[in-house]
Amino acid sequence: MKQTIAPDATPDTWSPEALLVKAQRYVENMLATDSDKWEYALWSSLSLEFLARAALANVSPALLADNKDSWASLFHALGFKPTEARFTPKSISISEVFRRLAAIIPDFSKENADFGILHTGRRNSELHSGEAAFEGVNPSRWQPEFYQASEILLRSMGMSLPDLIGEEEAEVAAKLIDAAADVSAKAVFGDIEAHNKSWNARPEEERLAQAQAAAIWATRQYGHRVVCPACASQALVVGEPVTAPVQKLDDGEITETQEHLPNRFECIACGLKIAGLSRLAAAGLGERYKKTQVYDAAEYYAPQDDYSGYEEDNNER
């Protein structure tokens, strides 16, 4: 049979390749931002939206077209030129994109879709209202779900996380996903509750003295200061570096920063200790932290000399 009306190539509006490029552009901005900043979460939400649209368009660009008021957008998505006056392509809402992905992609669960709707919903609140929607949202709570959803969407297109975020960040993402999936880690709540009861049973004078001692200890020891989930005293987490160190020269000093992923917690006030990223994540202590060291520039660039950092800060953010 002869086809007398043939479609053109898929326009960029609906092209999975073009949508994926936008997702990659936004994730580059995300990775250039500190992971605990609200801007990091905002860029991640933009990246996730276009990644989701790319995955759905990769099944068929027609699935992105909004046919509610007219079939022109569907016609356009199929590569034809609508004759409708003042035509503007209209696509379905991102919520509907996630619902369709959950129905079409076998590995993309309802939980993945619900997270996508929640995360991009915060983005809408951030951009279209006075609400600081990402402010105070603990990254350790959303990053594992973000990376898991992204991994599944990429896999549906024959790609993997390193294709989007690079090998280094993909290794961190894998650890965050594994930690969040470790159901046994929730046993840490029993330890926290036991230490909380023991702490509250102590005389008030003893608790005050222990809290003061913990504050001094946490300041002087190596590690990142956090609040103990059992007794609210100052405590420490320590971990492993997950990024290459970054140096900045300012007024004769070299400031070197490096992100770490925590793997151990200790509070000397109530005695609570937690080991392992999965248990730390369950306890709300799995957030990445930045270690900062400041050097004299002359000493830093004189490797033959015996220099050492004279200031260390694990709590600047």
Side-chain angles (χ1 to χ4, degrees), residues 120-144:
T120 54
R122 286 197 179 111
R123 186 276 316 284
N124 290 340
S125 297
E126 178 70 36
L127 297 179
H128 303 298
S129 76
E131 181 185 0
F134 290 113
E135 198 70 55
V137 179
N138 191 332
S140 65
R141 299 294 186 191
W142 66 263
Q143 286 181 7

Side-chain angles (χ1 to χ4, degrees), residues 1 25 33 43 86 167 184 204 207 209 214 225 267 273:
M1 183 179 297
R25 179 184 298 178
T33 307
W43 287 119
R86 299 193 305 180
E167 293 286 352
S184 66
E204 184 176 353
R207 282 185 280 147
R225 288 190 295 279
C267 173
K273 294 182 181 180

Side-chain angles (χ1 to χ4, degrees), residues 138-185:
N138 191 332
S140 65
R141 299 294 186 191
W142 66 263
Q143 286 181 7
E145 292 182 279
F146 167 75
Y147 281 130
Q148 185 184 45
S150 298
E151 181 182 44
I152 296 169
L153 295 175
L154 286 162
R155 192 162 63 236
S156 75
M157 294 183 282
M159 303 172 71
S160 62
L161 266 181
D163 295 321
L164 180 70
I165 58 177
E167 293 286 352
E168 187 178 79
E169 182 64 16
E171 290 182 10
V172 177
K175 291 178 180 177
L176 294 175
I177 293 171
D178 289 344
D182 185 0
V183 178
S184 66

